[in-house]
Amino acid sequence: MKIGRIDKGIGVFELDDGSTIPMGEMHVVISTDSYTVHPLFFPGGDIGKLAAVGSINDVVVMGAKPVAMLDAIVVEEGFPMKSLETIMNSMLRVLTEEGVALLGGDVKVMPRGGVDGVVITTTCIGVTDKVITDSGLVPGDSIVISGTIAEHGATIMALQAGLEVEGELKSDCEPLTKVIEIAKSIGEIHAAKDITRGGLASSLNELAEKSNVTILVDEDKIPISENVRVYCEMLGIDPLVLASEGRALIGIPSSRAEELVRELRKAGYRQATIIGRVVDRSRYNVLLETVAGGRRILEKPLGEIVPRIC
Amino acid sequence: MKIGRIDKGIGVFELDDGSTIPMGEMHVVISTDSYTVHPLFFPGGDIGKLAAVGSINDVVVMGAKPVAMLDAIVVEEGFPMKSLETIMNSMLRVLTEEGVALLGGDVKVMPRGGVDGVVITTTCIGVTDKVITDSGLVPGDSIVISGTIAEHGATIMALQAGLEVEGELKSDCEPLTKVIEIAKSIGEIHAAKDITRGGLASSLNELAEKSNVTILVDEDKIPISENVRVYCEMLGIDPLVLASEGRALIGIPSSRAEELVRELRKAGYRQATIIGRVVDRSRYNVLLETVAGGRRILEKPLGEIVPRIC
């Protein structure tokens, strides 16, 4: 077998969710991320679940089946063993459910004060015969979202602000494997992206920029839960810039978009919906068609909205 | 192409330097490590160089050609940009020299106090048609070392103790690509391992344990520089348990060992030498034939000898 040349893969300059290495007719897709979320435990998950889900999703939205993971854990001396076990079990539960093998890892202990609690870096490896990028959107595509936005961001932000998080608000941290599988079964995916740091605003802008198209978004189609609205109002922050950890944007020809939404809903993604469409313009842009009937540019958020969100 | 089953690869339970994923007739070898070395800059390198070299070496000693790397950086808010640039340049210099592509990465900023300076996690990916493990030693093999031991450990330990490191003492942090290439050209490598945390004592014990053999080591053959001896005496620590970051142990049939040493020396590894041989015993062991003429068991060091050594 011939080893594919790396320069035919997707590398660091593409700033996609993951990178690819061509090997024969297949592509190895690989992604790495450090997780520093604070607090370590939150409604809907913990840093262990997040570290597994986050890197799996980066590989999944590139069209690959995740097969293996490596983890590198940096833990502060004196960190409770029981908490570390809980975190590791959360991570392993995701890997078991997803059929992803934990191939290897590393643990480093830092003296007190060296690191706040625990930082986990995961690297996920997947394989695919066809890579989905961020740059394939064309005019005529629709943008489908797999669920409500900003749950993870609102949860973490509320906890950091010292609010008690109760009721229905919890992180949406979940693998996107099934979502992308369904989308692949419906038709050609032109682009896919998981919504993480910078929220929907950031993800839409990245898709538009890399595909060099304009995306028109119907503001009132964006699914936001009542809980997220309430917490965002309390905290004075726009839910459009808050992270999700289990939601995908999928760009697909408009002729197949209704069917995709139907199939997603049937599979339990009840808030899946079409939020926008791709149009041609002289330059890339994301335009929000507001509830009031006007249009405004949806800017990419600058800087870090919430520190240690993931 | 058929994707090889992961359960035919080397995974987390083997505790080898890296893990493998069979793909067709090739093996993808992958290794991840977090680097927390303190201080960040030291004679012979910095955390950037170490992070590149360390993960490259884990892949190289498994017989693979390193082709790609991903990095995940966690940096403390307020960390000097200039220092981060120096660190990144050190890392990139190694990758350029080694022909390893930086495929992707992640940067997270932690608020002050969240992390001490910077922690870098690197993942190196390599390919090979034949994996070298830790477990292939057989009686009749010789153990070749590629150079003097404990330079990295002695340097870091001295700096942590507040000593001024001067003269010839510096970290041996260097890629092992050429060493393993030379060894492969000489004959079949039965086992290979880079010496890192826990030093020579730890690496020899791991090789013996995984191969289920006894290794006899000539104490007076172990190459130790005068500088390392002096600092180790000052600090009261055994150089046999101190880390290297650019030295390999290679197990090779005794009939080829002299030739390997000759070729290594010719290539500039002037301290390369045979330090021991593999013999059969009822159980695995590492025995040191001491300068005084006796034999003692060389134990695996317990716990962390020096914190934040790598």
Side-chain angles (χ1 to χ4, degrees), chain A residues 12 19 33-34 103 106 108, chain B residues 12 19 33-34 103 106 108 116:
Chain A
V12 71
S19 310
D33 264 310
S34 289
L103 274 200
D106 174 50
K108 293 270 158 63
Chain B
V12 71
S19 310
D33 265 310
S34 290
L103 275 199
D106 174 49
K108 295 266 157 68
D116 180 21

Side-chain angles (χ1 to χ4, degrees), chain B residues 167-201:
Chain B
E168 294 297 302
L169 184 65
K170 61 173 189 175
S171 169
D172 58 333
C173 176
E174 286 300 338
L176 287 165
T177 322
K178 207 168 156 197
V179 168
I180 300 296
E181 252 170 37
I182 292 169
K184 278 172 117 174
S185 75
I186 300 293
E188 200 192 348
I189 303 176
H190 285 172
K193 192 160 195 64
D194 57 332
I195 306 174
T196 56
R197 278 191 284 181
L200 183 65

Side-chain angles (χ1 to χ4, degrees), chain A residues 42-283:
Chain A
F42 46 82
D46 59 32
I47 190 172
K49 181 181 181 186
L50 182 64
V53 165
S55 292
I56 283 175
N57 284 348
D58 283 337
V59 163
V60 161
V61 293
M62 293 197 71
K65 178 180 160 47
V67 293
M69 182 166 282
L70 295 102
D71 64 346
I73 298 170
V74 179
V75 60
E76 188 177 20
E77 192 186 354
F79 187 79
M81 209 52 186
K82 213 176 149 61
S83 303
L84 193 58
E85 253 174 50
T86 307
I87 288 166
M88 290 310 298
N89 285 338
S90 298
M91 191 165 95
L92 292 173
R93 195 172 313 119
V94 174
L95 299 188
T96 306
E97 284 167 11
E98 292 287 303
V100 171
L102 183 64
L103 274 200
D106 174 50
V107 179
K108 293 270 158 63
V109 178
M110 274 176 114
R112 260 174 217 278
V115 66
D116 180 21
V118 61
V119 169
I120 302 180
T121 305
T122 52
T123 302
C124 187
I125 302 118
V127 284
T128 183
D129 55 356
K130 195 168 181 338
V131 173
I132 303 169
T133 67
D134 288 350
S135 58
L137 289 180
V138 291
D141 285 347
S142 286
I143 306 292
V144 171
I145 193 167
S146 68
T148 48
I149 63 163
E151 262 104 344
H152 180 75
T155 305
I156 298 299
M157 197 180 56
L159 291 170
Q160 287 183 2
L163 298 178
E164 264 192 55
V165 174
E166 49 187 22
E168 294 297 302
L169 184 65
K170 62 174 187 174
S171 169
D172 58 334
C173 176
E174 286 299 339
L176 286 166
T177 321
K178 206 169 158 196
V179 167
I180 300 297
E181 252 170 38
I182 292 169
K184 278 171 116 175
S185 75
I186 301 293
E188 200 190 351
I189 304 176
H190 286 172
K193 192 159 195 65
D194 56 332
I195 306 173
T196 55
R197 279 190 283 181
L200 183 66
S202 187
S203 298
L204 284 169
N205 271 284
E206 280 176 45
L207 287 173
E209 184 174 349
K210 286 188 213 158
S211 301
N212 201 30
V213 295
T214 289
I215 301 176
L216 291 182
V217 178
D218 284 338
E219 190 175 21
D220 64 352
K221 294 282 172 61
I222 299 170
I224 307 180
S225 76
E226 198 43 39
N227 281 288
V228 166
R229 274 195 207 284
V230 169
Y231 276 93
C232 282
E233 268 172 34
M234 264 198 294
L235 295 156
I237 201 154
D238 184 355
L240 297 186
V241 302
L242 280 185
S244 303
E245 287 292 342
R247 303 291 182 248
L249 291 175
I250 298 162
I252 192 169
S254 292
S255 57
R256 319 308 300 266
E258 299 279 3
E259 190 187 347
L260 173 55
V261 167
R262 208 160 46 232
E263 289 304 315
L264 284 173
R265 289 186 180 177
K266 211 187 286 177
Y269 302 93
R270 308 210 58 83
Q271 304 293 326
T273 192
I274 301 169
I275 59 166
R277 59 196 192 280
V278 179
V279 296
D280 211 359
R281 280 290 187 283
S282 56
R283 60 182 291 278

Side-chain angles (χ1 to χ4, degrees), chain A residues 1 3 6 9-13 18-21 23-28 30-36 67-68 70-74 101-111 113-119 121 123 125 127 197 304 307-308 310, chain B residues 1 3 6 9-13 18-21 23-28 30-36 67-68 70-74 101-111 113-119 121 123 125 127 197 304 307-308 310:
Chain A
M1 199 187 77
I3 301 297
I6 292 292
I10 291 175
V12 71
F13 298 113
S19 310
T20 71
I21 307 173
M23 287 198 79
E25 289 152 35
M26 301 298 286
H27 300 266
V28 175
I30 183 160
S31 183
T32 195
D33 264 310
S34 289
Y35 297 86
T36 63
V67 293
L70 295 102
D71 64 346
I73 298 170
V74 179
L102 183 64
L103 274 200
D106 174 50
V107 179
K108 293 270 158 63
V109 178
M110 274 176 114
V115 66
D116 180 21
V118 61
V119 169
T121 305
T123 302
I125 302 118
V127 284
R197 279 190 283 181
E304 199 129 58
R308 300 184 66 179
C310 61
Chain B
M1 199 189 74
I3 301 296
I6 291 292
I10 292 176
V12 71
F13 298 113
S19 310
T20 71
I21 307 174
M23 287 198 79
E25 289 152 35
M26 301 298 286
H27 299 266
V28 175
I30 183 160
S31 183
T32 196
D33 265 310
S34 290
Y35 297 86
T36 62
V67 294
L70 295 103
D71 66 345
I73 297 170
V74 179
L102 183 65
L103 275 199
D106 174 49
V107 179
K108 295 266 157 68
V109 178
M110 273 176 114
V115 66
D116 180 21
V118 59
V119 169
T121 305
T123 303
I125 302 119
V127 283
R197 278 191 284 181
E304 199 128 58
R308 299 184 67 180
C310 60

